[in-house]
Amino acid sequence: MSRTERDERLAYAKAHANEYRSSLGALADSPYSPWDMAEFAALSANSPFTRARAAWRATRGVHGVQEIAKTLQVCGVGPTTLKAEYCEGIRGLSLTELPRPPYAAHRAGHPIRGLGYSKYSFAACLIDPLGADVVCIDTWMYQAYNGRVPDAGWFRRPAAYVALEGVIVSEAHVVNLPPFAYQWAVWDLARGVRTSHEFLWEPHRA
């Protein structure tokens, strides 16, 4: 990663800091439960953002693996049965089994089916946007720091994930932003589009 790219990330995050802080504040006051947030993290894995959003909205109030799977299929999010099982599994967890501080230690020692390191971290950020000290590193975030897509096994190497996460969190401290706010800013910058997450704090009206 070049100094110029780092400076660009820091400048973008600093310029839009108030907007990202505002979004985190709204998310912190969301009426949705930690289980809802963890489900969205699971549904977002390897799925286009718009499809994951539609699937998450459509499955609120839908119960049972078969019924959830049918809904996911309509929304184009798969593998449908596997992700339906993830959703049902998350709903059966106790609050202490969901992501909780200390996040890095809990992530390493308490795996949650459907939430690898990346999506566990995303769930932690959605549940505790102002306090989470881990970040979601997906393909976009990896490319922002490495200039290429990750190899197939990178996300299964915890040490490599934690090393890059440390770089991102240290940059967040430079601009005095919560790690999730900074990661969100870099994610938007990498994708070239500002992405609204208002659906996670504004109840959906059919």
Side-chain angles (χ1 to χ4, degrees):
M1 64 190 79
S2 71
R3 181 76 181 180
T4 301
E5 291 168 341
R6 178 180 183 273
D7 289 344
E8 183 182 6
R9 292 191 297 268
L10 294 172
Y12 179 86
K14 187 174 182 179
H16 299 281
N18 289 340
E19 298 161 52
Y20 288 102
R21 285 197 187 97
S22 177
S23 292
L24 261 61
L27 185 58
D29 292 332
S30 173
Y32 292 107
S33 74
W35 291 269
D36 290 318
M37 298 301 184
E39 279 189 58
F40 179 69
L43 290 173
S44 71
N46 302 312
S47 295
F49 179 83
T50 53
R51 291 188 184 182
R53 179 180 61 194
W56 183 80
R57 282 175 160 172
T59 52
R60 299 310 84 204
V62 177
H63 301 282
V65 170
Q66 290 185 342
E67 292 304 313
I68 295 172
K70 289 178 184 177
T71 305
L72 296 182
Q73 185 173 22
V74 171
C75 295
V77 170
T80 55
T81 300
L82 193 59
K83 286 201 171 181
E85 290 174 355
Y86 294 163
C87 289
E88 278 289 273
I90 287 169
R91 293 176 187 184
L93 296 175
S94 69
L95 185 59
T96 58
E97 291 173 313
L98 290 171
R100 62 179 176 84
Y103 291 106
H106 191 261
R107 179 179 62 189
H110 299 80
I112 298 172
R113 188 167 183 245
L115 299 178
Y117 261 54
S118 178
K119 295 307 177 180
Y120 174 103
S121 303
F122 189 27
C125 290
L126 295 177
I127 292 168
D128 185 12
L130 297 170
D133 55 359
V134 294
V135 295
C136 173
I137 304 174
D138 63 2
T139 300
W140 286 105
M141 289 297 293
Y142 182 93
Q143 288 183 87
Y145 284 82
N146 294 280
R148 56 182 174 82
V149 298
D151 63 70
W154 188 86
F155 289 102
R156 295 191 294 273
R157 296 198 289 272
Y161 189 100
V162 170
L164 180 52
E165 181 176 64
V167 173
I168 298 168
V169 171
S170 69
E171 289 183 5
H173 292 161
V174 171
V175 289
N176 194 31
L177 278 173
F180 183 36
Y182 184 76
Q183 179 249 298
W184 191 345
V186 174
W187 188 71
D188 281 346
L189 177 63
R191 295 169 70 246
V193 60
R194 298 286 298 280
T195 306
S196 172
H197 286 60
E198 290 182 359
F199 67 97
L200 288 170
W201 59 81
E202 293 186 354
H204 176 57
R205 295 175 176 82

